[in-house]
Amino acid sequence: MEVAANCSLRVKRPLLDPRFEGYKLSLEPLPCYQLELDAAVAEVKLRDDQYTLEHMHAFGMYNYLHCDSWYQDSVYYIDNLGRIMNLTVMLDTALGKPREVFRLPADLTVYDNRLCASIHFTSSTWVTLSDGTGRLYLIATDERGNNSSKKWEIMFNEELGSPFIIIHSISLLKDEEHSIAALLLRIEKEELDMKGSGFYVSLEWVTISKKNKDNKKYEIIKHEILRGKSVPHYAALEPDGNGLMIVSYKSFQFIQTGQDLEENKNENMSEKIKVEPLYYWQQTEDDLTITTQLPEDTTKEDIQVQFLPDHISIVLNGQLFLEGKLYSSVDHESSTYIIKENNSLEISLIKKNEGLTWPELIVGDKQGEFIRDSAQCAAIAERLMHLTSEELNPNPDKEKPPCNAQELEECDIFFEESSSLCRFDGNTLKTTHVVNLGSNEYLFSVIVDPKEMPCFSLRHDVDALLWQPHSSKQDDMWEHIATFNALGYVQASKRDKKFFACAPNYSYAALCECLRRVFIYRQPTPMSTVLYNRKEGRQVGQVAKQQVASLETNDAILGFQATNERLFVLTAKNLFLIKINTEN
């Protein structure tokens, strides 16, 4: 049994600026252009039965504006006439109207339970499209740049069940076999779930392929399903199609499809009914003890226990009973096991790192139950006694005064449970790498290079760090490529923020509120005039500017995209273009 590697994100210290002094508000006007739309955006509001936080994250906060990362300054949206409209900007002062490039074959207004239509630009010549009713389209577009007038042609069109949105897609060409893999998201009702909201999130990895050049028909050749309890912050397929990565608050796992799915449900139900742990374990500062009940008439010859420095394997009657990677190293030569009189197996493991408290016995294993004895509880309580008192701050002059929670700002408080970054192997369907993100809050994603996976931004202390996944580098899979100084702290104060983005060249980051206001945060740039820091008496070489744009509309912002030179903001009736950078 392979165990997922616990990894960490390696921060590049040269990309951090410990002397960053904050953003200076600039009153320089930003050129803003407004285009009135021929037809309103096809916004789909949440229904009464879509009442959970997950529905709001996935569909209520959906970005209706789509940026074609393969072609510069080209954005798309879908209007309520079922048309895919495109605006490609060549010159700001000569903006044309958005033009129709494709029209959905079905009349969406007749569907009561539809979701928002979604689109993903798979490659420079392919587009993946969902109409929000449960139908998936693969469309050949040829080259889309420079206002190309070539007709979009449907190459695949199939009903895939309940409505979904497209999260990500890739185009693959192996041995003259072209295929497209797409990641679809659904939120479905769990009838047997008696706890929580009663809904679960389904991520479906669908691969559609054409076997050879002579065969023009595309067919589904792979359909894998992951299930979880929260909408992922980030989910993307690797460029070679060998895996996918997910950032989520709650974990996902692959499930079987078809007949196996029913068997899996029955197994899950039996597991819920059976509450008895597989084994019990205890620990002291020096050793650990594992106890499990054996089947009747079990002899010593029926038991095989293998001890390794960081691994254990137990086989009973020829069946694998327990196996996995230990939390820490043990002295495997001194570890033993015996059969007790009450027909139980007792295993003793000697810790190599004496005094280390193990939070778990086997990494990722939930089948056992930890038993803490009263002496340990008393010792822990005594160690923590100095943190509590019957008096409020009884000794404020003490060397280590107690923490005052009132001094914490809201942006410093995180959920008790943290998000995780997981990499899944496409062949084994197992988790291969796990990063516990802890307090590193997820902020946004951006496509820097369309041939690579999308980057994601995480909060580290007060900064926002941008990470580029590299699936080919097993030892260093996530590269720190850019830093937005203090942006993690700044964005936490924007309570009404809706969308967050940055330029693919990292020159600025931007966020917008639900209505009207857009905030731009530029990277530090050299000063044209001499400026001194009054407190330190030193000359300031660079200044980071903050700018605010206010849109002339009272309509809610439905879409938000950033390119190297421009910001695009979509409302129900208008498309706004804000010129950020003038240089190419």
Side-chain angles (χ1 to χ4, degrees):
M1 180 186 295
E2 296 184 4
V3 179
N6 286 300
C7 308
S8 59
L9 301 176
R10 301 175 187 174
V11 176
K12 292 183 179 178
R13 296 295 170 187
L15 295 181
L16 303 181
D17 183 4
R19 304 189 70 177
F20 181 73
E21 297 180 343
Y23 293 95
K24 311 301 180 187
L25 181 63
S26 171
L27 301 180
E28 297 175 13
L30 289 168
C32 184
Y33 307 91
Q34 178 177 350
L35 293 174
E36 188 174 348
L37 308 183
D38 294 334
V41 176
E43 180 187 7
V44 179
K45 297 185 181 296
L46 294 179
R47 305 187 303 271
D48 290 341
D49 60 343
Q50 296 174 320
Y51 53 82
T52 69
L53 187 61
E54 308 312 322
H55 286 102
M56 175 58 72
H57 284 162
F59 312 132
M61 300 287 285
Y62 185 75
N63 193 338
Y64 286 86
L65 190 62
H66 308 275
C67 187
D68 188 349
S69 56
W70 300 88
Y71 300 95
Q72 190 173 7
D73 293 294
S74 182
V75 293
Y76 293 76
Y77 67 92
I78 301 171
D79 65 18
N80 56 17
L81 299 179
R83 303 179 299 172
I84 297 180
M85 307 296 288
N86 166 245
L87 176 68
T88 301
V89 180
M90 304 299 292
L91 188 64
D92 299 282
T93 55
L95 291 175
K97 282 275 189 180
R99 64 186 182 90
E100 177 184 343
V101 294
F102 183 78
R103 188 183 291 257
L104 289 168
D107 181 10
L108 303 183
T109 58
V110 302
Y111 293 90
D112 294 331
N113 297 327
R114 68 187 177 98
L115 298 176
C116 44
S118 55
I119 185 171
H120 191 269
F121 299 95
T122 311
S123 72
S124 59
T125 57
W126 284 90
V127 162
T128 312
L129 174 67
S130 163
D131 61 6
T133 68
R135 186 169 289 276
L136 179 66
Y137 298 87
L138 293 189
I139 303 175
T141 64
D142 288 327
E143 299 289 336
R144 297 186 296 272
N146 299 325
N147 288 317
S148 172
S149 58
K150 292 184 179 179
K151 184 180 178 182
W152 288 17
E153 182 182 358
I154 297 175
M155 305 302 292
F156 175 86
N157 172 13
E158 190 168 314
E159 183 76 32
L160 297 182
S162 59
F164 57 84
I165 59 173
I166 300 172
I167 301 295
H168 190 239
S169 62
I170 56 170
S171 178
L172 301 166
L173 185 61
K174 295 180 180 178
D175 301 327
E176 296 189 356
E177 179 182 338
H178 178 247
S179 60
I180 286 178
L183 206 55
L184 318 177
L185 183 144
R186 289 186 173 100
I187 298 180
E188 297 183 298
K189 188 75 174 175
E190 176 63 271
E191 300 297 340
L192 301 176
D193 187 8
M194 305 303 291
K195 297 180 180 180
S197 65
F199 289 89
Y200 66 87
V201 179
S202 173
L203 277 180
E204 302 188 21
W205 183 351
V206 179
T207 304
I208 302 149
S209 177
K210 185 176 72 170
K211 293 294 183 183
N212 51 58
K213 292 182 179 180
D214 299 330
N215 182 14
K216 293 185 177 181
K217 186 177 181 181
Y218 281 79
E219 298 175 343
I220 295 178
I221 61 169
K222 178 180 178 181
H223 192 170
E224 304 291 351
I225 300 175
L226 295 102
R227 184 176 292 185
K229 281 291 187 179
S230 67
V231 171
H233 302 302
Y234 170 97
L237 298 165
E238 295 175 356
D240 56 8
N242 290 331
L244 80 154
M245 297 182 190
I246 297 176
V247 177
S248 62
Y249 177 54
K250 296 184 179 178
S251 62
F252 278 78
Q253 64 179 13
F254 277 99
I255 63 171
Q256 288 120 342
T257 56
Q259 185 178 357
D260 294 335
L261 180 58
E262 294 300 322
E263 297 174 0
N264 196 46
K265 282 184 178 179
N266 295 333
E267 289 176 7
N268 289 339
M269 285 302 297
S270 63
E271 287 175 5
K272 290 180 181 178
I273 296 170
K274 183 183 176 183
V275 295
E276 187 72 21
L278 186 65
Y279 61 89
Y280 298 89
W281 66 286
Q282 295 174 288
Q283 66 176 316
T284 65
E285 292 189 351
D286 305 318
D287 57 27
L288 305 105
T289 303
I290 309 168
T291 306
T292 184
Q293 196 66 31
L294 294 172
E296 292 185 10
D297 302 326
T298 301
T299 63
K300 196 169 184 178
E301 288 73 24
D302 299 326
I303 303 171
Q304 295 177 352
V305 181
Q306 183 183 27
F307 299 111
L308 294 175
D310 58 355
H311 193 273
I312 188 172
S313 173
I314 305 172
V315 176
L316 297 179
N317 298 317
Q319 300 283 331
L320 183 63
F321 178 76
L322 183 66
E323 183 184 36
K325 181 181 179 183
L326 296 170
Y327 175 78
S328 185
S329 298
V330 298
D331 184 354
H332 63 289
E333 295 181 352
S334 302
S335 299
T336 60
Y337 69 92
I338 60 171
I339 299 178
K340 306 281 283 187
E341 293 180 359
N342 59 353
N343 201 36
S344 64
L345 176 67
E346 184 177 286
I347 300 172
S348 297
L349 302 176
I350 309 301
K351 294 181 179 178
K352 267 198 174 177
N353 300 320
E354 296 181 3
L356 175 66
T357 301
W358 290 24
E360 57 182 344
L361 178 68
I362 296 175
V363 177
D365 184 73
K366 306 295 183 185
Q367 302 175 88
E369 181 178 317
F370 176 59
I371 300 176
R372 195 188 302 276
D373 61 31
S374 57
Q376 284 179 315
C377 294
I380 292 173
E382 187 177 349
R383 266 183 265 167
L384 300 178
M385 189 69 72
H386 70 283
L387 298 177
T388 64
S389 173
E390 295 180 359
E391 303 174 33
L392 180 62
N393 198 4
N395 189 1
D397 299 324
K398 198 174 177 180
E399 182 181 348
K400 294 182 180 179
C403 174
N404 184 357
Q406 294 178 350
E407 294 178 358
L408 289 175
E409 297 187 46
E410 187 177 349
C411 56
D412 295 318
I413 301 173
F414 296 91
F415 294 112
E416 290 184 4
E417 295 184 39
S418 60
S419 298
S420 60
L421 166 60
C422 298
R423 190 261 177 187
F424 293 86
D425 185 89
N427 297 316
T428 64
L429 308 182
K430 301 288 186 182
T431 308
T432 60
H433 298 73
V434 177
V435 179
N436 184 0
L437 298 182
S439 60
N440 301 132
E441 178 190 5
Y442 175 86
L443 300 178
F444 62 90
S445 64
V446 60
I447 298 176
V448 171
D449 180 355
K451 296 179 181 178
E452 295 282 348
M453 298 179 71
C455 301
F456 55 87
S457 176
L458 302 175
R459 177 180 173 177
H460 286 249
D461 196 13
V462 298
D463 297 333
L465 272 54
L466 200 62
W467 299 89
Q468 173 67 67
H470 296 293
S471 58
S472 58
K473 301 179 181 179
Q474 293 294 317
D475 297 331
D476 191 12
M477 201 168 278
W478 299 280
E479 180 188 3
H480 174 201
I481 58 173
T483 300
F484 295 98
N485 298 299
L487 193 60
Y489 182 83
V490 170
Q491 62 84 31
S493 66
K494 308 299 182 190
R495 294 193 173 189
D496 295 329
K497 66 177 179 290
K498 187 171 185 181
F499 297 118
F500 206 159
C502 80
N505 63 1
Y506 337 127
S507 59
Y508 71 93
L511 61 88
C512 70
E513 295 182 337
C514 297
L515 289 171
R516 194 184 292 269
R517 290 201 298 177
V518 177
F519 299 87
I520 297 100
Y521 301 93
R522 298 179 182 271
Q523 293 282 20
T525 53
M527 293 290 296
S528 57
T529 58
V530 178
L531 183 68
Y532 283 91
N533 184 308
R534 291 182 180 179
K535 291 183 179 179
E536 300 181 10
R538 61 179 178 83
Q539 183 174 341
V540 178
Q542 293 185 322
V543 168
K545 294 180 181 180
Q546 171 193 348
Q547 292 174 284
V548 182
S550 184
L551 306 178
E552 296 182 1
T553 180
N554 292 320
D555 295 331
I557 294 177
L558 300 179
F560 190 70
Q561 294 290 347
T563 66
N564 290 336
E565 296 184 22
R566 302 170 179 90
L567 266 176
F568 296 88
V569 187
L570 181 70
T571 65
K573 302 174 184 175
N574 294 279
L575 178 60
F576 293 87
L577 188 153
I578 304 173
K579 183 75 170 180
I580 305 295
N581 295 319
T582 55
E583 65 276 3
N584 290 325

